[in-house]
Amino acid sequence: MTRKVVTRAPHREVGVVNPAWLLDHAVEHESHLERRFIMVALACPVVLDIVHQPLQLTLVVDSGQGPTERKYTPDFRLTLADGTEVIVECKPAKFVDQNQNLFAQAEAALKVMGYAFLIVTD
């Protein structure tokens, strides 16, 4: 089950894009970067569907103090015209390096599930 956007933080934009001309559902976002990604994806003719926070993974990540279990919820799942499903994480470039271990674990787990994994930055 996906987690619901519940509260608004003063330093973040939280909202919904409702592309009724293309999708039968709204797509939530939790940042300006995510909103911009949604708009670009909607303009791409091979994108058939966008779902926000499509799943939650439990990963074992080494945080420097030994392996710890961590829950990870990626930002979006895209369904493409050829049937490919891509899990997308939108992350500001300055935070990508510090999350490389998490992203590597997520990519491996998602590959087993049949998904491609893409990190989008600003």
Side-chain angles (χ1 to χ4, degrees):
M1 182 171 176
T2 60
R3 64 185 163 93
K4 197 76 175 142
V5 177
V6 178
T7 60
R8 295 178 183 265
H11 63 283
R12 298 174 74 191
E13 175 193 303
V14 177
V16 176
V17 175
N18 190 9
W21 69 92
L22 182 63
L23 304 176
D24 63 354
H25 58 88
V27 183
E28 295 179 16
H29 60 84
E30 295 182 321
S31 69
H32 291 289
L33 179 59
E34 287 182 14
R35 182 181 52 78
R36 289 191 309 264
F37 171 76
I38 293 168
M39 300 309 288
V40 169
L42 289 171
C44 186
V46 299
V47 174
L48 298 182
D49 194 20
I50 306 170
V51 177
H52 60 275
Q53 299 179 341
L55 53 88
Q56 187 175 71
L57 301 172
T58 301
L59 304 172
V60 177
V61 178
D62 188 355
S63 60
Q65 299 175 343
T68 58
E69 194 172 272
R70 178 174 173 189
K71 300 232 183 269
Y72 169 67
T73 304
D75 296 318
F76 302 102
R77 181 185 69 230
L78 299 181
T79 302
L80 307 181
D82 67 357
T84 302
E85 292 187 312
V86 181
I87 300 296
V88 178
E89 175 66 32
C90 296
K91 186 69 71 183
K94 66 183 180 180
F95 298 121
V96 171
D97 285 344
Q98 70 191 46
N99 288 291
Q100 280 301 327
N101 192 12
L102 173 68
F103 294 152
Q105 293 290 326
E107 184 173 24
L110 291 165
K111 185 175 183 178
V112 170
M113 298 168 67
Y115 295 111
F117 183 63
L118 176 66
I119 300 168
V120 175
T121 64
D122 46 359

